[in-house]
Amino acid sequence: MKLARLGPPGAEKPALIEAGGRARDLSGIVPDITAEALGSGLLQRLAALDPSALPYLPDGERFGPPVRGVGKFLCVGLNYRDHAAESGIAIPEEPVLFMKATSAICGANDAIVIPRGSLKTDWEVELGVVIGRTARDIPVETALAHVAGYLLVNDLSERAFQLERGGQWVKGKSCDTFGPIGPFLVTTEEIPDPQALSLWLEVNGTRRQNGHTSDMVFDVAFLISYISRFMTLCPGDIISTGTPAGVGLGLRPPVYLGPGDRMVLGIDGEAGVSLGCQTQICRAWAQ
């Protein structure tokens, strides 16, 4: 299944996205796609539905974040060998974890706001994992059973805030609009192997990132198990699993985003499986 939330900010309706891209209205079945609903058997109930009985939503609606009420937005740094190399940092022996504020979350195609004073806003295409069942100190072998689905993430970063202002990375990762997710949540039966996905990102029509999840240092199952040793993962939590090479920081000379720049990014699997695309235009900060 592909699940989405469509409509203006704060008034999104839950939707089921058909293979052809049209959206069926789920609001008569569930009030919203929330972290709480994911933990209460929502996916099992939706799987038993006859989608043809659901009314269509109008075409052209905005894609909001596909899950409301995300509790934790966890990120993994330096999880692709080529990205660690371009950053000039050794491949980590254990996953590098940091938090991204949930207030950064926005819709897949919403405008990206360049923060006040920013000169180094950067892009990062990533695979996001949405937790569907509580995970607490679980083994690798059963980790994927705790996944509700997968989604596309642009882990935007302000590199000066992240690397030059002291403290931890969270400052450069959590600006408003720095967490576009979606356009939809793709449930696990469509993605049997999260290590068989291609990631890509373009800026102003130039391909900047090409990667594959098989190149992760730590795979999805290991990350879920590892993180669950240090904190309980709850339904609706998101793990953004790292980015391949090609970020602006790694170019020579570095290239960063400014007002008017356009990003297009996506994740594709085998046999036509896709986590969809995002398209974002950057705009200047305004008080």
PDB file of all heavy atoms in Angstrom, residues 35 97 142 260:
ATOM      1  N   ALA A  35       0.798   8.381  14.269  1.00  0.00           N
ATOM      2  CA  ALA A  35       1.651   7.424  14.967  1.00  0.00           C
ATOM      3  C   ALA A  35       0.812   6.485  15.821  1.00  0.00           C
ATOM      4  O   ALA A  35       1.040   5.268  15.847  1.00  0.00           O
ATOM      5  CB  ALA A  35       2.669   8.181  15.822  1.00  0.00           C
ATOM      6  N   LEU A  97      24.588   8.522  15.435  1.00  0.00           N
ATOM      7  CA  LEU A  97      23.183   8.872  15.603  1.00  0.00           C
ATOM      8  C   LEU A  97      23.040  10.325  16.014  1.00  0.00           C
ATOM      9  O   LEU A  97      23.833  10.840  16.805  1.00  0.00           O
ATOM     10  CB  LEU A  97      22.534   7.998  16.672  1.00  0.00           C
ATOM     11  CG  LEU A  97      22.585   6.478  16.479  1.00  0.00           C
ATOM     12  CD1 LEU A  97      21.874   5.791  17.634  1.00  0.00           C
ATOM     13  CD2 LEU A  97      21.970   6.079  15.153  1.00  0.00           C
ATOM     14  N   THR A 142      14.780 -10.062  13.909  1.00  0.00           N
ATOM     15  CA  THR A 142      13.346  -9.730  13.907  1.00  0.00           C
ATOM     16  C   THR A 142      13.094  -8.238  13.714  1.00  0.00           C
ATOM     17  O   THR A 142      11.953  -7.785  13.795  1.00  0.00           O
ATOM     18  CB  THR A 142      12.694 -10.183  15.229  1.00  0.00           C
ATOM     19  OG1 THR A 142      13.315  -9.492  16.332  1.00  0.00           O
ATOM     20  CG2 THR A 142      12.832 -11.682  15.418  1.00  0.00           C
ATOM     21  N   GLY A 260      15.413  30.220  -4.936  1.00  0.00           N
ATOM     22  CA  GLY A 260      15.131  29.917  -6.328  1.00  0.00           C
ATOM     23  C   GLY A 260      15.672  28.583  -6.810  1.00  0.00           C
ATOM     24  O   GLY A 260      15.262  28.095  -7.876  1.00  0.00           O
TER      25      GLY A 260
END
